[in-house]
Amino acid sequence: MSPQLSQFRRVVLKVGSALLVDRARGRLNHAWLAALAEDIADLHSKGTDVLVVSSGAIAMGRTVLGLPSGPLKLEESQAAAAVGQIALARTWSEVLAHHGITAGQILVTLSDTEERRRYLNARATTLKLLEMRAVPVVNENDTVATSEIRYGDNDRLAARVATMIGADLLVLFSDIDGLYTAPPASDPGAEHIPVVERITPTIEAMAGGAASELSRGGMRTKIEAGKIATASGTHMIIADGRAKNPLRRVADGGRCTWFLTPSNPATARKTWIAGALEPRGTLIVDDGAARALQGGASLLPVGVRRVEGTFHRGDAVTIRDGSRVLGRGLVAYDAEEASRIIGRPSREIEAILGYAGRAEMVHRDDMALSD
């Protein structure tokens, strides 16, 4: 049985260029976007965190600049993005403001989610926006990304962002209502698949190629996004976004494909921290901190007695209380800065370091304790 949209607490919506931009008329699909904003506002009003990964900057920019159809040179794409990002951000801000919702623009590149220090910065900014009940609108920073480092499609970008913020659902709006046993445009006998419990080689083989010059993706990239999302504890939906109020259509049981995960974001993240990262140093904690950690608390500087090793902010470190390994975590300070604030209350961090750092040496969400 498929899950219900109402059961998810943090949802990422990916909106593609072909849905946002009416290429034939050279303008935005304003009525469609206004209807989607209604859907977002409805979900938001129920207390759900909503983040949008929006394509469309290059498509909008090439329309404004009068660039011809067909492939663009890299510098033309970047120029189009520079113009389009302004229009895209303004549009999202306006349609969400109509419902009393603040939008925040976040531009990212591949390295922002691959390099841990920048990953933590992007994650902290995004989570703060969500905490303040804003809707972050994320796009690949096409003005500076090059062909060697770019995602190449916003499906995988959306999956990376969803895992970064611990979203429990990713919705990929497309021009098709889910996965079929074969591309339905070329095979009339293709059958719709409502639920994918695990992405197998057979499932991957069902994906076709890219379908639109406005998008760089296709079903293949959506399956890749599904692999990223489900491995990190995030369910995923592929749904037809062309209808008015496409999110409401999903909520009402409209046809789509669910990709299920056996895990959840918190568990998957802790598994990653515990087993996939090589520790760069060690934090030795006192007995009080050890007890607090076992009770579910974050590790504060006041509870750290000694720092060992050379590490940077965002690196994995081992947490010990003498001879016993308590677990691993992503540290919020470089080793040199950590050494200066150990044993001190968090309120003194700014006076010691000269800036208001984070209160936690290792936040509980960035920590995996040993059994």
Side-chain angles (χ1 to χ4, degrees):
M1 186 174 178
S2 302
Q4 297 297 311
L5 192 61
S6 58
Q7 73 189 66
F8 297 98
R9 63 175 183 82
R10 181 168 291 165
V11 178
V12 172
L13 307 176
K14 183 266 179 176
V15 180
S17 301
L19 296 173
L20 270 174
V21 180
D22 184 336
R23 182 66 173 148
R25 298 184 181 182
R27 65 182 187 183
L28 271 172
N29 288 320
H30 285 286
W32 177 87
L33 187 55
L36 177 61
E38 287 178 5
D39 291 353
I40 292 172
D42 183 57
L43 201 58
H44 191 266
S45 69
K46 294 179 173 65
T48 305
D49 291 338
V50 183
L51 181 146
V52 176
V53 175
S54 176
S55 303
I58 292 176
M60 290 180 69
R62 72 187 293 163
T63 296
V64 173
L65 294 172
L67 293 170
S69 60
L72 296 177
K73 297 177 182 176
L74 177 61
E75 61 271 22
E76 290 175 330
S77 293
Q78 291 171 327
V83 173
Q85 279 167 358
I86 295 173
L88 191 63
R90 183 177 66 246
T91 298
W92 278 109
S93 179
E94 289 173 352
V95 297
L96 291 173
H98 184 70
H99 300 277
I101 299 173
T102 299
Q105 184 188 38
I106 300 178
L107 299 175
V108 299
T109 62
L110 175 63
S111 54
D112 292 322
T113 58
E114 295 297 329
E115 194 218 306
R116 276 197 297 279
R117 180 183 292 242
R118 292 165 69 175
Y119 167 96
L120 288 176
N121 283 333
R123 181 171 183 265
T125 300
T126 307
L127 292 178
K128 178 56 69 174
L129 284 169
L130 293 173
E131 179 187 320
M132 299 174 75
R133 301 303 293 149
V135 170
V137 179
V138 178
N139 196 2
E140 185 176 6
N141 193 356
D142 290 305
T143 57
V144 297
T146 68
S147 56
E148 289 80 15
I149 67 171
R150 67 186 305 134
Y151 281 96
D153 67 88
N154 276 358
D155 294 324
R156 282 175 288 197
L157 172 60
R160 293 287 188 193
V161 170
T163 63
M164 180 179 76
I165 66 169
D168 43 13
L169 177 64
L170 167 62
V171 180
L172 300 182
F173 285 126
S174 182
D175 57 1
I176 192 170
D177 56 7
L179 178 66
Y180 285 74
T181 53
S186 57
D187 186 346
E191 297 180 6
H192 181 266
I193 301 173
V195 178
V196 174
E197 296 193 2
R198 190 166 62 90
I199 298 176
T200 62
T202 301
I203 293 295
E204 291 186 72
M206 295 176 185
S212 167
E213 75 164 35
L214 290 182
S215 66
R216 293 188 294 266
M219 190 55 68
R220 187 177 294 114
T221 67
K222 289 173 175 54
I223 298 300
E224 289 299 318
K227 291 166 66 176
I228 294 167
T230 56
S232 300
T234 302
H235 292 291
M236 191 182 87
I237 298 173
I238 297 175
D240 192 338
R242 293 171 296 181
K244 194 175 180 183
N245 300 103
L247 196 59
R248 185 184 304 168
R249 181 179 173 276
V250 170
D252 291 343
R255 180 153 35 170
C256 61
T257 298
W258 284 85
F259 292 78
L260 305 183
T261 175
S263 184
N264 64 66
T267 301
R269 179 173 172 78
K270 290 180 183 293
T271 300
W272 170 67
I273 291 170
L277 299 175
E278 186 68 28
R280 301 294 183 182
T282 302
L283 303 178
I284 311 298
V285 305
D286 60 28
D287 292 340
R291 287 193 297 272
L293 295 182
Q294 297 296 336
S298 298
L299 177 59
L300 304 179
V302 70
V304 181
R305 292 193 291 130
R306 192 166 76 252
V307 172
E308 297 177 352
T310 301
F311 52 81
H312 298 288
R313 177 173 173 264
D315 281 345
V317 294
T318 301
I319 302 170
R320 310 175 66 105
D321 67 342
S323 60
R324 187 168 56 124
V325 175
L326 301 177
R328 291 183 182 181
L330 305 182
V331 67
Y333 292 93
D334 293 347
E336 186 272 330
E337 291 182 329
S339 298
R340 292 167 60 192
I341 61 175
I342 60 172
R344 306 294 288 273
S346 297
R347 65 177 180 274
E348 297 180 7
I349 291 174
E350 185 171 7
I352 296 170
L353 299 182
Y355 70 94
R358 292 177 185 169
E360 307 87 3
M361 186 77 78
V362 180
H363 193 279
R364 63 185 181 184
D365 292 345
D366 295 328
M367 188 187 309
L369 298 180
S370 304
D371 295 330

